[in-house]
């Protein structure tokens, strides 16, 4: 009961923050008053959002967001506006945006109809697709071969949603074991606790390329989706989205 009460309290707190952000619809005002803008980053979403050798956030999506922030500075006439970077996990990115912890989500987030019910998106800057990463020694060659297998993906991802839906629809009896982040999910595959990793192909390729033995992994199967990446911002705030 105590755990349930805690969850309910946290949900109420998040909902309250979301209601405040949507009621005012004034992200620019919030940024101006605080004198800072907060953009998120991921630690392993190469080449879009990750940390370099000095543990500083870098990447293609990161650069796009910095350009957008230049426009925010110009709009507010605040060239000295402070920019703060906030690390987020895939499962936490929408709640942290809704409760005002971050102002822009700059990673590898798919613009989907379901997510549009809660948030808004910029124009698409890259298109990926969900595929399978497995070891080269594995007999898995297609999605059908995942039946009865242990499959990992990233918590809070469209990959997890698609995997779960197909598993139920086709009674494939997959054991789906999400990782809390990209590194944890890849570790499940690397240590043979999962036989396949299902997610965006560009992310899977980057994880394999940076592993200890890149030749041990390959992408297999047909693309299973279209994943348009966009910068995520709060809904019902056309002024901020326009900037």
């Amino acid at each position: 009961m105590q755990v349930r009460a805690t969850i309910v309290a946290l949900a109420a707190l998040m909902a309250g923050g979301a209601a405040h952000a949507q009621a005012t619809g004034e992200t620019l005002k919030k940024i101006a008053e605080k004198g800072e803008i907060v953009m998120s980053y991921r630690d392993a979403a190469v080449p879009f959002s990750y940390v370099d050798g000095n543990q500083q956030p870098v990447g293609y999506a990161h650069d796009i967001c910095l350009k957008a922030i230049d426009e925010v500075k110009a709009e507010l006439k605040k060239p000295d506006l402070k920019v703060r970077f906030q690390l987020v996990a895939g499962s936490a990115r929408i709640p942290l945006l809704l409760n005002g912890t971050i102002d822009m989500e700059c990673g590898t987030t798919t613009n989907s109809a379901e997510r549009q019910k809660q948030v808004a998106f910029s124009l698409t800057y890259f298109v990926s697709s969900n595929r399978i990463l497995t070891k080269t020694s594995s007999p898995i060659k297609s999605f059908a071969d995942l039946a009865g297998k242990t499959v990992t993906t990233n918590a809070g991802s469209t990959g997890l949603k698609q995997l779960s839906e197909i598993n139920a629809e086709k009674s494939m009896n997959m054991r789906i074991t999400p990782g809390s982040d990209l590194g944890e999910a890849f570790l499940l595959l690397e240590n043979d606790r999962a036989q396949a990793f299902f997610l965006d192909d560009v992310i899977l390729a980057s994880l394999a390329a940076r592993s200890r033995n890149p030749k041990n992994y390959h992408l297999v199967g047909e693309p299973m989706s279209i994943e348009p990446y966009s910068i995520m911002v709060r809904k019902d705030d056309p002024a901020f989205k326009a900037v």
Side-chain angles (χ1 to χ4, degrees):
M1 290 298 292
Q2 184 177 359
V3 172
R4 183 177 178 183
T6 302
I7 293 173
V8 170
L10 287 171
L13 178 62
M14 288 167 55
H20 175 72
Q22 293 186 1
T24 59
E26 297 178 351
T27 301
L28 289 172
K29 181 179 179 182
K30 169 183 176 290
I31 292 168
E33 288 176 349
K34 288 196 169 185
E36 73 169 13
I37 183 169
V38 186
M39 62 178 277
S40 74
Y41 71 95
R42 307 289 293 276
D43 58 359
V46 177
F48 303 98
S49 182
Y50 60 103
V51 292
D52 62 14
N54 296 317
Q55 296 301 299
Q56 295 301 307
V58 294
Y60 183 60
H62 187 82
D63 288 347
I64 290 174
C65 279
L66 288 177
K67 290 292 186 182
I69 288 173
D70 286 341
E71 298 297 327
V72 173
K73 290 179 179 179
E75 176 72 16
L76 296 176
K77 297 180 173 55
K78 287 182 174 290
D80 58 346
L81 183 71
K82 180 182 177 182
V83 181
R84 182 159 60 85
F85 305 120
Q86 174 69 49
L87 176 65
V88 300
S91 58
R93 53 191 158 177
I94 291 179
L96 291 178
L97 181 68
L98 293 181
N99 71 15
T101 300
I102 59 175
D103 298 310
M104 306 169 65
E105 194 279 324
C106 310
T108 53
T109 298
T110 298
N111 179 352
S112 68
E114 183 175 344
R115 285 173 175 162
Q116 286 174 19
K117 296 174 184 177
Q118 301 182 73
V119 296
F121 291 92
S122 70
L123 298 175
T124 297
Y125 67 81
F126 190 85
V127 178
S128 182
S129 60
N130 285 329
R131 286 186 68 192
I132 302 163
L133 182 73
T134 188
K135 290 190 173 179
T136 51
S137 57
S138 170
I140 295 172
K141 302 300 179 186
S142 69
F143 196 89
D145 294 333
L146 297 180
K149 304 294 193 300
T150 300
V151 185
T152 188
T153 184
N154 196 34
S157 66
T158 55
L160 175 58
K161 183 176 184 293
Q162 184 179 29
L163 199 62
S164 301
E165 288 175 349
I166 297 176
N167 193 35
E169 180 183 336
K170 297 190 176 182
S171 301
M172 293 180 68
N173 198 32
M174 286 185 278
R175 295 176 292 278
I176 302 172
T177 309
S180 61
D181 55 33
L182 295 172
E184 182 177 272
F186 186 80
L187 194 61
L188 292 173
L189 176 64
E190 185 178 47
N191 293 340
D192 297 315
R193 287 182 287 163
Q195 293 146 295
F197 188 168
F198 184 75
L199 201 66
D200 311 32
D201 53 8
V202 64
I203 299 300
L204 295 177
S206 72
L207 289 167
R210 293 180 295 117
S211 68
R212 286 177 288 185
N213 297 291
K215 292 181 180 179
N216 288 354
Y217 305 93
H218 63 169
L219 287 166
V220 298
E222 294 296 318
M224 297 293 292
S225 66
I226 296 175
E227 306 292 325
Y229 293 170
S230 302
I231 304 305
M232 189 165 59
V233 295
R234 279 183 285 277
K235 197 175 180 180
D236 301 327
D237 197 342
F240 183 61
K241 183 175 177 178
V243 174

